[in-house]
Amino acid sequence: GIQVEQSPPDLILQEGANSTLRCNFSDSVNNLQWFHQNPWGQLINLFYIPSGTKQNGRLSATTVATERYSLLYISSSQTTDSGVYFCFMYSGGGADGLTFGKGTHLIIQP
Amino acid sequence: KAGVTQTPRYLIKTRGQQVTLSCSPISGHRSVSWYQQTPGQGLQFLFEYFSETQRNKGNFPGRFSGRQFSNSRSEMNVSTLELGDSALYLCASSLFGTAYATNEKLFFGSGTQLSVL
């Protein structure tokens, strides 16, 4: 199945800082999504982005499918941005192609 | 529009027992998928149902099973519980399933935290 690597695994920032989270993958993808898991365990869908660039407020994401990576940008971080960020993707081939990255644990300090 | 609803929120069971978890998808969504989240293995795909049929199954033993009803609500069952089954179980709904249509976004419930003692 597809291999997915997220970096960094942990990130601690001060409120107001900007951050870039990265997801590298080993195969072409049909579906790529970014999620934020809040401290209560809920996974919130941030972006559906198998290619191209999207923006939603302080968050934006870019996927360069030909180079097999995706980036999630968070600007002017707030404490509510804390949590774990996951990329998810489907590369074809049924169940083996459905994969989450290991996540980036982000802590925003006031 | 109501979100994905999972019940119960917490469960405590003992080894050898069985458990049933429930998931009600967003209205109009016909695909329901289940995931297990543990600190060691992360988020792993269990199975996916569409129109009462299992379309994909992850690499889990046969003790893990599921079903989907005609109203798209889904249940998963774990029999003969083991300590290693302690995890957060998440279900997600989408219109047609991420493996079967473009622009398919997953929407997750709050999960069921299962503790096996």
Side-chain angles (χ1 to χ4, degrees):
Chain A
I2 188 170
Q3 303 302 309
V4 179
E5 183 179 337
Q6 283 192 247
S7 60
D10 300 282
L11 188 57
I12 301 175
L13 299 171
Q14 295 297 121
E15 204 167 19
N18 301 328
S19 58
T20 300
L21 282 56
R22 187 178 181 105
C23 185
N24 291 334
F25 45 97
S26 62
D27 204 350
S28 59
V29 295
N30 304 319
N31 187 312
L32 191 154
Q33 300 176 51
W34 282 95
F35 292 90
H36 173 216
Q37 188 168 40
N38 63 26
W40 297 272
Q42 176 105 42
L43 277 165
I44 307 298
N45 195 303
L46 299 176
F47 294 102
Y48 167 85
I49 190 162
S51 63
T53 297
K54 290 185 178 179
Q55 180 158 6
N56 183 4
R58 297 183 295 104
L59 274 60
S60 63
T62 294
T63 297
V64 183
T66 53
E67 297 187 22
R68 297 184 181 164
Y69 72 87
S70 184
L71 302 174
L72 177 68
Y73 305 97
I74 305 173
S75 64
S76 304
S77 298
Q78 301 175 358
T79 56
T80 52
D81 294 330
S82 295
V84 185
Y85 290 80
F86 293 97
C87 58
F88 163 87
M89 55 198 68
Y90 178 62
S91 61
D96 284 345
L98 290 161
T99 304
F100 275 91
K102 294 293 188 186
T104 292
H105 187 198
L106 176 64
I107 296 174
I108 304 298
Q109 297 177 332
Chain B
K1 198 181 234 187
V4 179
T5 303
Q6 286 189 250
T7 56
R9 184 71 178 95
Y10 300 96
L11 265 178
I12 300 176
K13 293 285 186 178
T14 56
R15 279 181 299 173
Q17 288 186 308
Q18 74 166 19
V19 65
T20 299
L21 313 181
S22 179
C23 174
S24 292
I26 291 171
S27 178
H29 284 192
R30 296 167 62 189
S31 169
V32 174
S33 51
W34 290 88
Y35 300 82
Q36 181 196 65
Q37 185 176 26
T38 60
Q41 298 299 316
L43 280 152
Q44 294 183 284
F45 170 75
L46 278 158
F47 29 63
E48 186 246 352
Y49 286 87
F50 181 85
S51 292
E52 303 177 65
T53 300
Q54 186 183 90
R55 292 195 298 192
N56 282 299
K57 182 172 168 57
N59 189 23
F60 280 83
R63 300 185 297 106
F64 292 82
S65 63
R67 60 177 175 169
Q68 187 180 34
F69 302 94
S70 58
N71 62 356
S72 294
R73 188 177 72 85
S74 177
E75 291 180 346
M76 69 163 281
N77 183 276
V78 188
S79 62
T80 319
L81 284 166
E82 301 178 359
L83 295 179
D85 297 333
S86 294
L88 179 65
Y89 290 89
L90 292 157
C91 88
S93 80
S94 65
L95 283 168
F96 302 109
T98 53
Y100 297 92
T102 57
N103 296 315
E104 283 286 292
K105 295 177 69 172
L106 289 174
F107 296 90
F108 281 85
S110 298
T112 294
Q113 184 67 55
L114 172 65
S115 297
V116 182
L117 307 178

